[in-house]
């Protein structure tokens, strides 16, 4: 046997707070994953700490069992700030320097129009609801609907959910809180622009509730590696044999210090098949093709005059894959899944960003295809009561089109789409002013959105009756009324 195969396992420990932390990571390589072009997973990373730490956190929260509903929120964050005009509120009666630069199309609901790059969503809008009176109240680039300093104590909204529900699903072992960015499905994708909005911070809640990142970017990658020869990764039996060998080694006491029950449970979780949920190639070919956004645009034709052209390319290639992966994780017990796009919705028409008309081709059409495919797939599977999809960004765009054909930052009004979760669909909630710049009726803010999300995935009545819920978590859950038209 070649020397490199005699020792297929590399085991390392990481000492944190004088306690050994054991965990596992499968190290995939580009040579293997290149042959499975639709999925590139660098590794399964637990943001901030090891899986045993997650299990300990869950054990500590058993006193608040029964709070989590069997539902999932998938929050598709449209990073950069999408325009309300070219998406769901065209305002074609307004002057030409205000109304949608791309025009409008009719939708399935009489009297409601969308921007024309949303032609597939226009045929499905009886299945979802849009909010035309949503405001993020700030024109800053950040991640405020996911991480609000003002309304969520600077902690990610999924961390608040995990704090109450438990860090992992008690039956399936799936982390409750997950963050998917393009590198979860494409190892060659650009890094998330974290300086313009973090998605993994937990503030006062502590690192045990950080989102699971299947992208190899978390501390777990540095904590421990289970390394298997890349030439043998195609044989699942080799992987399982190696893991079983590792288990026997642990049980025999040959690993210094052994494993406590949480570390053993973490090992059982990983060897029990949780990693399969992250492999979208397990789907039928027709389903994979249904979600595939890479065929919509010849990415070689994306203009290099925009510094953002690589991010446009990543968006076209990966958005459908991300939503398919999110659906798989929702079926397997994840409770809050953040899907963050590349930073592509910032359409100033400057050196970095395209004009509204060109940018909506690069960004809007993949969004239209991916979200439509997701809705149709969820409907076909009968999961529309279980899964709530939320789509918005950190702001909207300015009512007036600038001199270069773009729109600038605007906090007064922003687009918001919600689908499923057992909520009331097929609605347009609220209205905006004539210039589309502010809510005109039924104003909806981030706290209202938080309350709607939490009421969907948590039994808020049980939460109210439960002692020991941190004040910052209670504020997120009960700090405002849910969007009343949807509940």
């Amino acid at each position: 046997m070649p020397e490199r195969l005699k020792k297929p396992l590399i085991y390392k420990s990481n000492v944190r707070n004088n306690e050994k932390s054991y965990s596992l990571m499968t190290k995939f390589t580009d040579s293997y994953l290149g042959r499975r072009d639709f999925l590139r997973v660098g590794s399964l990373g637990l943001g901030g700490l090891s899986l045993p730490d997650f299990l300990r956190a869950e054990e500590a929260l058993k006193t608040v069992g029964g709070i989590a509903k069997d539902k999932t929120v998938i929050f598709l964050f449209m990073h950069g700030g999408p325009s309300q005009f070219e998406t769901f509120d065209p305002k074609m009666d307004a002057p030409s320097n205000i109304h949608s630069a791309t025009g409008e199309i009719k939708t399935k609901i009489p009297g409601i129009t969308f921007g024309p790059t949303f032609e597939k969503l226009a045929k499905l809008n009886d299945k979802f609801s849009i909010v035309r009176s949503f405001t993020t109240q700030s024109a800053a680039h950040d991640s405020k609907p996911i991480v609000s300093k003002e309304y969520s104590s600077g902690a990610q909204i999924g961390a608040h959910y995990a704090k109450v529900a438990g860090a992992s699903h008690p039956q399936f072992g799936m982390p409750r809180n997950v963050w998917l960015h393009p590198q979860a499905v494409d190892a060659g994708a650009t890094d998330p622009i974290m300086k313009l909005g973090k998605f993994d911070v937990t503030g006062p809640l502590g690192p045990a509730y950080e989102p699971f990142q299947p992208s190899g970017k978390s501390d777990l990658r540095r904590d421990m590696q289970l390394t298997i020869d890349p030439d043998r990764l195609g044989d699942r039996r080799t992987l399982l044999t190696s893991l079983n060998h590792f288990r026997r080694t642990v049980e025999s006491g040959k690993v210094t210090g052994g494993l406590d029950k949480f570390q053993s449970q973490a090992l059982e979780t990983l060897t029990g098949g949780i990693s399969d949920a992250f492999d979208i190639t397990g789907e039928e070919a027709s389903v994979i093709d249904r979600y595939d956004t890479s065929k919509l645009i010849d990415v070689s034709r994306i203009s290099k005059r925009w510094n953002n052209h690589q991010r446009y390319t990543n968006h076209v290639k990966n958005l459908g894959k991300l939503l398919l992966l999110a659906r798989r994780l929702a079926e397997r017990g994840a409770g809050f899944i953040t899907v963050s796009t590349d930073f592509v919705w910032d359409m100033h028409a400057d050196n970095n960003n395209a004009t509204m008309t060109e940018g909506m081709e690069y960004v809007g059409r993949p969004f239209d295809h991916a979200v439509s495919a997701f809705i149709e797939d969820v409907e076909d599977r009968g999961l529309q009561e279980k899964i709530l999809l939320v789509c918005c960004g950190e702001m909207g765009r300015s009512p007036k089109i600038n001199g270069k054909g773009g729109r600038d930052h605007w906090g007064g009004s922003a687009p918001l789409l919600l689908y499923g979760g057992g909520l009331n669909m097929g609605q347009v909630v609220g209205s905006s002013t004539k210039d589309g710049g502010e809510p005109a009726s039924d104003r909806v803010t981030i706290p209202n959105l938080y309350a709607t999300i939490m009421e969907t995935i948590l039994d808020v009545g049980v939460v109210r009756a439960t002692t020991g819920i941190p004040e910052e978590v209670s504020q997120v859950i009960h700090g405002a009324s849910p969007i009343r038209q949807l509940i």
Side-chain angles (χ1 to χ4, degrees):
M1 179 182 293
E3 182 65 27
R4 62 193 176 115
L5 297 183
K6 290 181 180 179
K7 297 180 180 180
L9 299 175
I10 294 176
Y11 183 81
K12 299 178 182 179
S13 66
N14 179 59
V15 178
R16 187 180 286 116
N17 297 329
N18 297 319
E19 177 185 42
K20 285 190 175 181
S21 172
Y22 298 85
S23 53
L24 292 174
M25 182 194 76
T26 302
K27 184 179 180 182
F28 297 99
T29 69
D30 290 348
S31 61
Y32 168 67
L33 292 170
R35 296 193 297 271
R36 305 172 71 176
D37 192 42
F38 208 82
L39 175 69
R40 280 177 169 266
V41 180
S43 61
L44 297 182
L46 290 170
L49 72 171
S50 65
L51 181 55
D53 294 324
F54 276 84
L55 297 170
R56 290 189 187 92
E58 181 182 23
E59 178 85 352
L61 285 165
K62 281 185 176 178
T63 56
V64 294
I67 289 178
K69 297 179 182 178
D70 184 25
K71 294 191 177 186
T72 301
V73 168
I74 298 173
F75 200 123
L76 174 53
F77 188 77
M78 304 161 74
H79 206 182
S83 167
Q84 61 273 35
F85 301 94
E86 285 73 25
T87 56
F88 304 119
D89 196 5
K91 296 292 183 188
M92 295 308 292
D93 292 336
S96 60
N97 65 339
I98 292 177
H99 69 58
S100 169
T102 56
E104 66 179 342
I105 54 172
K106 294 180 180 179
T107 71
K108 194 168 185 178
I109 299 177
I112 302 300
T113 64
F114 291 168
T117 48
F118 283 4
E119 57 185 346
K120 295 175 182 177
L121 286 172
K123 298 175 182 178
L124 293 172
N125 71 322
D126 60 327
K127 302 294 186 183
F128 60 87
S129 291
I130 60 172
V131 180
R132 286 181 168 172
S133 54
F134 179 57
T135 174
T136 62
Q137 302 174 279
S138 166
H141 277 313
D142 50 28
S143 54
K144 67 179 77 64
I146 299 289
V147 181
S148 171
K149 294 180 181 178
E150 185 175 0
Y151 303 119
S152 67
S153 303
Q156 193 224 33
I157 185 67
H160 285 273
Y161 164 75
K163 178 74 173 179
V164 175
S168 62
H169 193 286
Q171 179 180 355
F172 305 118
M174 176 67 68
R176 295 279 203 185
N177 186 19
V178 180
W179 173 26
L180 305 177
H181 50 78
Q183 290 175 339
V185 293
D186 182 357
T190 50
D191 285 327
I193 303 182
M194 299 298 290
K195 65 182 180 179
L196 296 177
K198 295 184 181 297
F199 293 90
D200 57 354
V201 292
T202 58
L205 304 183
Y209 307 102
E210 285 185 16
F212 185 110
Q213 295 182 57
S215 58
K217 292 295 182 182
S218 68
D219 287 345
L220 185 64
R221 187 185 185 100
R222 294 179 293 275
D223 288 349
M224 182 173 300
Q225 293 185 354
L226 171 66
T227 303
I228 301 174
D229 183 79
D231 294 335
R232 304 183 69 189
L233 274 172
D235 185 351
R236 186 172 297 277
R237 289 173 299 177
T238 300
L239 174 60
L240 293 177
T241 298
S242 297
L243 289 170
N244 287 333
H245 171 74
F246 180 76
R247 182 192 289 110
R248 289 193 297 270
T249 300
V250 170
E251 290 173 349
S252 70
K254 293 179 181 178
V255 175
T256 303
L259 298 181
D260 66 18
K261 71 171 184 174
F262 297 104
Q263 294 156 351
S264 297
Q265 186 181 355
L267 177 63
E268 293 297 328
T269 296
L270 289 173
T271 58
I274 187 175
S275 61
D276 288 346
F278 293 85
D279 186 353
I280 60 178
T281 62
E283 294 284 339
E284 294 181 5
S286 60
V287 175
I288 294 174
D289 185 67
R290 184 180 198 174
Y291 277 87
D292 191 2
T293 50
S294 66
K295 301 175 183 177
L296 298 176
I297 299 172
D298 179 357
V299 295
S300 69
R301 299 177 66 89
I302 294 176
S303 176
K304 302 297 192 300
R305 66 177 291 199
W306 314 114
N307 293 334
N308 225 8
H309 66 88
Q310 184 57 55
R311 297 187 184 279
Y312 293 143
T313 297
N314 290 337
H315 185 79
V316 172
K317 290 170 56 179
N318 298 319
L319 184 58
K321 302 174 193 178
L322 287 168
L323 283 182
L324 175 55
L325 178 54
R327 191 267 289 157
R328 287 177 62 84
L329 301 186
E331 289 179 305
R332 292 160 175 79
F336 191 94
I337 304 168
T338 302
V339 178
S340 61
T341 69
D342 261 324
F343 191 75
V344 291
W345 290 93
D346 193 30
M347 299 179 196
H348 287 287
D350 55 14
N351 291 335
N352 294 321
N353 309 283
T355 64
M356 291 308 308
T357 53
E358 188 176 343
M360 287 301 292
E361 291 295 318
Y362 301 154
V363 178
R365 290 203 184 277
F367 179 92
D368 176 61
H369 181 96
V371 174
S372 296
F374 177 88
I375 291 172
E376 290 171 340
D377 188 26
V378 169
E379 293 280 324
D380 289 347
R381 294 170 185 272
L383 297 173
Q384 60 268 33
E385 298 289 315
K386 174 181 170 59
I387 297 176
L388 171 63
L389 174 69
V390 178
C391 303
C392 73
E394 67 268 38
M395 58 183 164
R397 309 306 296 183
S398 59
K400 289 187 178 181
I401 298 174
N402 65 34
K404 296 181 180 180
R407 294 186 189 270
D408 299 317
H409 296 186
W410 193 261
S413 181
L416 172 62
L417 178 154
L418 300 101
Y419 160 76
L423 304 183
N424 297 323
M425 297 291 101
Q427 297 187 74
V428 175
V429 175
S431 62
S432 61
T433 52
K434 290 182 178 180
D435 68 352
E438 301 286 342
S441 66
D442 301 295
R443 179 185 178 90
V444 173
T445 63
I446 290 173
N448 300 125
L449 179 58
Y450 283 173
T452 305
I453 288 171
M454 290 301 187
E455 188 151 321
T456 299
I457 54 178
L458 295 175
D459 188 329
V460 295
V462 174
V463 174
R464 287 191 178 96
T466 301
T467 59
I469 301 296
E471 176 60 30
E472 55 267 21
V473 177
S474 296
Q475 179 63 29
V476 168
I477 299 172
H478 308 301
S481 299
I483 303 171
R484 58 180 177 79
Q485 295 90 336
L486 300 181
I487 299 300

